């Protein structure tokens, strides 16, 4: 596979990698996740999926932007109540989750614009 020559795809994949890093930080800061085996497995799988999405974007897979739009549309409904609960339990993790959401939404929007590298 070739790495995309679209500069926005590269920026977008970098934002997804940053989001995965933020997810790892959130994972390590949350004592509740580390106590429950199922929550730990779910968190590791979620971080892995974010990394895979970042790689797919980096390789210039064009259909990924439509998948991300669908995921964002479904996730936007549950987001406010989830953040409210998270702010009550773990305010720092809630801020990290908000930063992840912003990075992922911005990364998805970038995929719909064309900007080529000049070689």
């Amino acid at each position: 596979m070739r790495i995309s020559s679209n500069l926005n795809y590269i920026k977008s994949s970098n934002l997804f990698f940053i989001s995965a890093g933020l997810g790892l930080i959130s994972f390590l800061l949350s004592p509740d996740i580390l106590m429950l085996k199922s929550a730990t497995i779910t968190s590791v799988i979620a971080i892995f999926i974010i990394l895979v999405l970042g790689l797919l974007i980096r390789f210039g897979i064009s259909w990924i932007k439509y998948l991300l739009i669908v995921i964002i549309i479904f996730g936007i409904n549950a987001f406010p109540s989830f953040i409210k609960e998270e702010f009550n339990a773990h305010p720092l993790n809630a801020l990290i989750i908000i930063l992840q959401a912003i990075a992922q939404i911005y990364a998805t929007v970038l995929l719909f614009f064309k900007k080529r590298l000049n070689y």
Side-chain angles (χ1 to χ4, degrees):
M1 293 184 99
R2 255 183 73 201
I3 293 178
S4 176
S5 62
N6 186 335
L7 188 58
N8 285 340
Y9 273 61
I10 294 170
K11 288 178 185 177
S12 180
S13 70
N14 288 340
L15 285 170
F16 265 86
F17 294 144
I18 289 169
S19 177
L22 288 171
L24 184 62
I25 291 169
S26 178
F27 171 74
L28 295 173
L29 289 177
S30 179
D32 297 340
I33 291 175
L34 297 174
M35 290 176 146
L36 299 170
K37 188 175 183 176
S38 62
T40 303
I41 292 170
T42 303
S43 298
V44 169
I45 290 171
I47 292 169
F48 178 74
I49 289 171
I50 293 171
L51 286 171
V52 168
L53 289 171
L55 282 174
L56 290 174
I57 294 167
R58 179 65 57 118
F59 289 130
I61 307 297
S62 61
W63 56 264
I64 199 73
K65 59 186 170 188
Y66 303 111
L67 175 67
L68 291 172
I69 285 290
V70 170
I71 292 171
I72 288 170
I73 289 170
F74 283 123
I76 208 89
N77 293 330
F79 192 71
S81 62
F82 176 73
I83 287 298
K84 184 179 177 184
E85 290 175 23
E86 195 66 25
F87 259 123
N88 291 332
H90 307 288
L92 183 59
N93 283 352
L95 290 174
I96 292 172
I97 291 168
I98 291 170
L99 288 174
Q100 280 183 292
I102 291 169
Q104 291 172 6
I105 291 169
Y106 181 63
T108 302
V109 169
L110 276 176
L111 294 175
F112 286 94
F113 297 103
K114 301 262 186 209
K115 190 170 185 181
R116 295 260 176 214
L117 289 173
N118 294 328
Y119 286 108

